[in-house]
Amino acid sequence: MREFKSVTASSPLILDIDDFKGDFSFDSLFGNLVNDLLPSFRDSSEDSSLKYNTTQPGVPISTTPLFPEVDNLVSLFNDSCQELLQLRNQIDGRLHNLKKDVTVQDSKHRKTLAELEKGVDGLFDSFARLDTRISSVGQTAAKIGDHLQSAEAQRETASQTIDLIKYLMEFNSSPGDLMELSPLFSDDSRVAEAASVAQKLRSFAEEDIGRQGIASSVRGNAAASRGLEVAVANLQEYCNELENRLLARFDAASQKRELTTMAECAKILSQFNRGTSAMQHYVATRPMFIDVEVMNADTRLVLGEQAVQASPSDVARGLSSLYKEITDTVRKEAATIMAVFPSPNEVMSILVQRVLEQRITALLDKLLVKPSLVTLPSMEEGGILLYLRVLAVAYEKTQELARDLRAVGCGDLDVEGLTESLFSSHKDEYLEYEQTSLTQLYRAKMEELRAENQQISDSSGTIGHSKGASVASSQQQISVTVVTEFVRWNEEAILRCNLFSSQPTTLATNVKAVFTCLLDQVSQYIADGLERARDSLTEAANLRERFVLGTSVSRRVAAAAASAAEAAAAAGESSFRSFMVSVQRSGSSVAIIQQYFANSISRLLLPVDGAHASSCEEMATAMSSAEAAAYRGLQQCIETVMAEVERLLSAEQKATEYRLPDDGIFPDHRPTSACTRVVAYLSRVLESAFTALEGLNKQAFLTELGNRLHKVLLNHWQKFTFNPSGGLRLKRDITEYGEFIRSFNAPSVDEKFELLGILANVFIVAPESLATLFEGTPSIRKDAQRFIQLREDYKSAKLAAKLSSLWPSSS
């Protein structure tokens, strides 16, 4: 802001309107007014106007007025106010004049706008009238144009009709006479026009013949259309000739790869039966369909030079190479077809169909020769399985070819459906061949195992009948590896089921049939294996019976018999272990089948109601025969063990062991040698049973074995007489048996041996204590009475009379 002019009291204050323009500040205005007065006043006051109070040091006292220039300031402010009032009046006057001017200008502007609006409304009305006029003129012109176009079309139609009638009369001249035709029909440069005209003439003539035929049948006049029949015949002959000429030109251009000429010919030929003859002719003349060497090369590539049955892997490689070559060839032809034919999709459809029906079918006929189900091919030749594997490979590769051809382009052709039809005869009988193959594989495997067993048996020589039987038995064991091979066959068959079964219900039916084959195979194999193991047990039993001797034999005969009995016992123990291994492997095999069913089969059966439950029932039924054989074999195992226990007890137990002399010597608390031998034998032989059996089967087997051992021991001890020392020895034997039996985890058997320990007390206590011995266990009094009769003092102590008076009910 510019500085204001300051005045004293003697000079008037002058203010300008410009001082209030722009960035106005009242503080600046005021400061500029008083700056000339206040600075001198402040300087003088600091020097001379302040004195200090002597009574109160440091406190100043004023001797002059605080603002000596106040009068000048008042005068200045008054003058400034007058000036400001004058300036305000000036500004008010200017504002009043400006308002008057604005009002006048606004009135003029409004008047001008009103006049302009009237003018614009007039222009709008003029434009509307002009637009209506233009629209009317345009409609009139359009109508005139339509009439002109219609007239031109009628003129053109009439002209064409005249030409067509003239051409029709030329063709109607005489049958077979095509020499007097217009130049149009012989000019090679106008072939397209000639073809179009000929087709129109044929259409008109044939339609007219049809109308005349109906009319003549009504009027009875058969001669009405005779002339047009001549025209139709001549036109047909001409069209055939023209079509042949075009096909010849098309072939010549095709050999030279002149695509432009080929396209021109194809476009013209499309007027003849929609170009079907041209499309079929083009496809039929492809080298892959007319060259016999191509077909022979296909066969050599897939089947080899000798054209014999190749392995599935070789077939897969050959088909992959061949189908890739075919796809590449079709792709190249597709490029030509797209450039030549007006309807390329139709040509591609014909081409792909011809490839599948001619080239692929010819190859499959040589590749897939159905074997006879009456006279099966030998396994050395691959058996039925080779045919199935080659069929699967061919089907899978041909499906891939169909997808590749679909990607290249095949129009509206159902290439997948056509591919399926190529294999329909094979798929219809697939399941029967699959079942036959599985049966053939099983029989071949069984023959292989029998041959191996026979070879091992022959190589073992004659090293002893029982030992040889043991060796043969060990070589005929059930093999989990064999069962796994059965499952592997079935898995491969299921994969083929998935491949050949397009519908879920069909797949479920085929899978169920194939799985039933596996159940039959495993059931038969396990049952046969268990029966072979049972035969070994039976043979061991026959050996035992063969060496049972009478009482009066020589020592030498007895020694020989004892040696033979040892051999029979060894055969029995070996047969026992062999059978337990068979049972264990049978269980493992069944577990494999169940796991395979759960993981791979069950979900495939769900689309058919009841199929899953039916297969579960078939699985249980199939295993029932194996379970029956296992049950019979386990019973024989128990008989074998008990027979050996009886032999050991009979051979090792001495009568004096339970009638020890009461000579004051410290009694022998060791179990008898017979007990030790029996427990050692049981521990050794049952080791395989503990490993082989599981769950309820194990519990039932050991419970039955424990009960039989209890019975055998009771019968054995009935042969001896006991004194108190012998009773203590017997109790020690019972304790040893009981400790071993506890490993069976059979509470009922443990209880029986505990009662045996109690019964043994009848040999230890004094005769007068027998009456109170069984007061807490009356259930064993009958067994106790039999035991009491074995006491050494039974007669001398007259225990029979005492017991009859004490236990009258037990007599």
Side-chain angles (χ1 to χ4, degrees):
M1 176 183 291
R2 72 181 182 85
E3 293 185 353
F4 296 98
K5 297 178 181 179
S6 61
V7 296
T8 62
S10 60
S11 60
L13 180 66
I14 298 176
L15 295 175
D16 194 295
I17 292 176
D18 292 337
D19 294 334
F20 298 93
K21 293 181 181 181
D23 189 10
F24 174 75
S25 172
F26 178 79
D27 292 340
S28 299
L29 175 65
F30 182 79
N32 289 330
L33 287 174
V34 300
N35 276 343
D36 292 338
L37 295 175
L38 293 181
S40 62
F41 171 73
R42 285 196 302 269
D43 294 340
S44 62
S45 65
E46 290 175 358
D47 297 337
S48 62
S49 65
L50 293 178
K51 293 184 178 180
Y52 292 91
N53 193 340
T54 58
T55 60
Q56 296 180 355
V59 178
I61 49 179
S62 176
T63 59
T64 61
L66 182 61
F67 294 107
E69 302 295 335
V70 68
D71 292 334
N72 293 333
L73 288 172
V74 169
S75 176
L76 175 65
F77 290 157
N78 287 331
D79 292 341
S80 298
C81 287
Q82 290 298 325
E83 291 290 336
L84 288 171
L85 288 174
Q86 292 175 8
L87 290 173
R88 186 180 68 178
N89 291 333
Q90 293 177 12
I91 292 171
D92 288 342
R94 292 180 183 180
L95 287 174
H96 178 72
N97 294 332
L98 287 173
K99 287 180 180 179
K100 289 174 63 178
D101 293 340
V102 168
T103 302
V104 172
Q105 294 297 327
D106 182 65
S107 176
K108 292 180 180 179
H109 180 67
R110 290 179 182 275
K111 183 178 179 180
T112 303
L113 285 177
E115 293 175 354
L116 288 174
E117 286 179 356
K118 291 180 181 180
V120 170
D121 290 341
L123 287 175
F124 282 161
D125 292 340
S126 298
F127 278 126
R129 290 191 298 272
L130 180 61
D131 183 66
T132 301
R133 179 61 179 167
I134 291 173
S135 176
S136 175
V137 172
Q139 291 177 358
T140 303
K143 291 179 180 178
I144 294 173
D146 291 341
H147 287 305
L148 290 175
Q149 186 176 5
S150 176
E152 176 63 18
Q154 292 176 1
R155 188 196 68 78
E156 182 69 21
T157 302
S159 176
Q160 291 179 359
T161 303
I162 293 173
D163 291 340
L164 289 176
I165 292 174
K166 182 183 70 172
Y167 295 146
L168 186 61
M169 292 176 62
E170 292 177 1
F171 280 101
N172 193 38
S173 60
S174 60
D177 185 7
L178 302 179
M179 300 300 295
E180 301 297 329
L181 296 177
S182 298
L184 168 66
F185 299 103
S186 57
D187 189 352
D188 288 343
S189 62
R190 302 175 65 187
V191 172
E193 183 182 357
S196 176
V197 170
Q199 289 299 316
K200 290 179 181 179
L201 292 176
R202 282 183 60 189
S203 175
F204 171 77
E206 290 173 354
E207 182 180 352
D208 184 72
I209 288 175
R211 288 197 303 268
Q212 293 295 334
I214 295 174
S216 63
S217 64
V218 174
R219 297 192 303 268
N221 184 6
S225 60
R226 183 175 303 167
L228 291 182
E229 290 177 352
V230 172
V232 167
N234 288 336
L235 282 168
Q236 181 64 51
E237 182 180 353
Y238 173 77
C239 288
N240 292 340
E241 180 186 353
L242 180 60
E243 187 173 8
N244 291 333
R245 282 164 45 201
L246 288 170
L247 288 175
R249 185 185 300 179
F250 182 88
D251 286 341
S254 176
Q255 292 177 1
K256 298 177 182 178
R257 296 292 298 171
E258 296 176 353
L259 299 184
T260 303
T261 304
M262 292 173 64
E264 293 175 357
C265 295
K267 184 176 181 180
I268 298 172
L269 286 169
S270 64
Q271 300 181 50
F272 297 97
N273 195 21
R274 297 180 58 192
T276 302
S277 59
M279 293 185 287
Q280 292 177 343
H281 179 76
Y282 174 78
V283 171
T285 55
R286 296 307 87 202
M288 72 172 81
F289 302 127
I290 60 178
D291 191 350
V292 178
E293 183 56 32
V294 173
M295 303 294 181
N296 295 333
D298 292 349
T299 304
R300 289 194 300 270
L301 181 60
V302 177
L303 295 178
E305 293 295 333
Q306 302 300 323
V308 296
Q309 188 64 63
S311 66
S313 59
D314 292 338
V315 170
R317 285 192 295 270
L319 287 177
S320 295
S321 300
L322 175 62
Y323 287 171
K324 183 179 183 303
E325 175 190 336
I326 291 175
T327 304
D328 293 341
T329 302
V330 172
R331 186 176 289 109
K332 292 178 182 178
E333 292 293 345
T336 302
I337 289 170
M338 294 295 292
V340 169
F341 289 93
S343 300
N345 287 339
E346 295 183 19
V347 185
M348 288 301 299
S349 176
I350 296 173
L351 175 64
V352 172
Q353 182 176 358
R354 187 72 175 266
V355 167
L356 293 175
E357 290 182 348
Q358 179 174 331
R359 191 170 180 183
I360 303 303
T361 300
L363 175 65
L364 294 179
D365 287 343
K366 297 178 181 179
L367 180 63
L368 302 176
V369 180
K370 287 185 182 179
S372 171
L373 293 177
V374 178
T375 305
L376 302 181
S378 65
M379 292 304 298
E380 289 76 11
E381 298 173 348
I384 300 293
L385 181 61
L386 179 60
Y387 162 72
L388 291 173
R389 286 176 172 173
V390 172
L391 174 62
V393 167
Y395 182 78
E396 194 170 11
K397 294 298 182 181
T398 306
Q399 280 190 322
E400 292 178 4
L401 172 65
R403 289 191 291 269
D404 292 341
L405 294 176
R406 167 66 68 187
V408 172
C410 56
D412 297 332
L413 178 67
D414 182 11
V415 64
E416 289 80 7
L418 181 57
T419 302
E420 287 291 325
S421 68
L422 300 181
F423 294 88
S424 59
S425 63
H426 297 277
K427 291 174 66 176
D428 291 343
E429 300 178 358
Y430 157 70
L431 183 58
E432 185 178 2
Y433 276 92
E434 193 70 79
Q435 291 171 313
T436 303
S437 173
L438 291 172
T439 302
Q440 184 184 31
L441 288 170
Y442 177 78
R443 291 175 179 172
K445 188 64 179 180
M446 294 302 101
E447 288 293 335
E448 177 187 342
L449 294 176
R450 279 193 290 268
E452 291 177 358
N453 293 333
Q454 184 62 43
Q455 183 178 1
I456 294 172
S457 178
D458 294 342
S459 64
S460 64
T462 56
I463 56 177
H465 184 69
S466 63
K467 188 174 181 180
S470 175
V471 171
S473 174
S474 66
Q475 297 300 328
Q476 296 179 23
Q477 282 287 351
I478 294 173
S479 172
V480 177
T481 303
V482 173
V483 174
T484 304
E485 189 171 0
F486 295 163
V487 174
R488 189 171 67 250
W489 297 341
N490 209 261
E491 286 176 332
E492 182 181 340
I494 295 298
L495 289 177
R496 285 191 288 269
C497 286
N498 274 291
L499 184 63
F500 294 131
S501 304
S502 56
Q503 299 299 322
T505 53
T506 305
L507 174 61
T509 302
N510 292 343
V511 166
K512 184 176 182 296
V514 170
F515 181 67
T516 299
C517 290
L518 175 64
L519 293 178
D520 294 341
Q521 292 172 356
V522 174
S523 174
Q524 184 68 39
Y525 177 68
I526 291 177
D528 290 347
L530 291 173
E531 288 297 333
R532 288 194 301 270
R534 283 188 61 234
D535 291 341
S536 180
L537 290 169
T538 302
E539 186 174 352
N542 293 334
L543 288 175
R544 289 195 303 272
E545 294 176 1
R546 189 181 305 169
F547 298 108
V548 175
L549 300 177
T551 55
S552 56
V553 294
S554 65
R555 183 176 300 176
R556 184 173 60 83
V557 173
S563 176
E566 289 285 349
E573 186 173 342
S574 174
S575 299
F576 180 94
R577 289 197 182 95
S578 177
F579 187 83
M580 286 301 170
V581 171
S582 296
V583 170
Q584 181 182 18
R585 293 178 179 178
S586 298
S588 300
S589 300
V590 172
I592 290 173
I593 300 303
Q594 292 172 338
Q595 188 69 28
Y596 171 62
F597 177 79
N599 293 342
S600 304
I601 302 298
S602 59
R603 60 184 174 82
L604 300 177
L605 301 178
L606 296 179
V608 175
D609 293 337
H612 186 278
S614 176
S615 290
C616 291
E617 184 177 351
E618 288 181 4
M619 189 157 46
T621 302
M623 299 307 163
S624 61
S625 59
E627 291 176 354
Y631 176 78
R632 292 191 297 268
L634 291 174
Q635 291 294 326
Q636 286 184 268
C637 285
I638 292 175
E639 295 294 338
T640 299
V641 171
M642 289 301 101
E644 179 59 15
V645 168
E646 290 177 352
R647 188 189 73 81
L648 290 174
L649 291 173
S650 176
E652 298 294 332
Q653 197 80 69
K654 304 297 189 293
T656 56
E657 290 178 327
Y658 295 130
R659 293 176 62 188
L660 298 174
D662 190 7
D663 51 8
I665 302 175
F666 190 78
D668 189 356
H669 294 291
R670 295 174 302 174
T672 62
S673 62
C675 174
T676 303
R677 288 285 302 275
V678 168
V679 171
Y681 166 74
L682 291 175
S683 299
R684 184 177 66 252
V685 76
L686 293 182
E687 182 179 355
S688 59
F690 281 107
T691 304
L693 301 177
E694 296 178 348
L696 296 177
N697 292 332
K698 181 178 181 180
Q699 184 179 2
F701 175 77
L702 293 177
T703 299
E704 176 67 17
L705 184 65
N707 290 331
R708 289 290 303 276
L709 178 62
H710 176 268
K711 183 177 181 180
V712 166
L713 290 175
L714 279 178
N715 292 335
H716 170 67
W717 289 326
Q718 293 292 326
K719 302 174 185 178
F720 298 93
T721 302
F722 300 85
N723 64 7
S725 298
L728 289 173
R729 196 77 184 276
L730 174 63
K731 194 163 186 176
R732 181 65 184 85
D733 284 354
I734 293 173
T735 300
E736 189 74 12
Y737 288 126
E739 290 178 355
F740 174 73
I741 289 297
R742 273 195 290 275
S743 64
F744 288 8
N745 291 324
S748 62
V749 179
D750 292 342
E751 183 180 357
K752 288 185 177 183
F753 276 85
E754 290 173 2
L755 293 177
L756 278 179
I758 297 174
L759 285 174
N761 290 330
V762 302
F763 304 123
I764 301 172
V765 302
E768 57 271 16
S769 300
L770 289 174
T772 60
L773 188 59
F774 302 106
E775 289 180 354
T777 53
S779 60
I780 63 172
R781 285 178 180 175
K782 186 175 182 180
D783 290 334
Q785 189 173 5
R786 292 204 305 270
F787 262 48
I788 291 171
Q789 293 176 8
L790 302 177
R791 283 174 64 108
E792 188 179 29
D793 59 353
Y794 179 73
K795 294 181 179 180
S796 62
K798 299 181 180 180
L799 295 179
K802 293 179 180 180
L803 292 177
S804 61
S805 62
L806 292 173
W807 299 335
S809 60
S810 61
S811 59

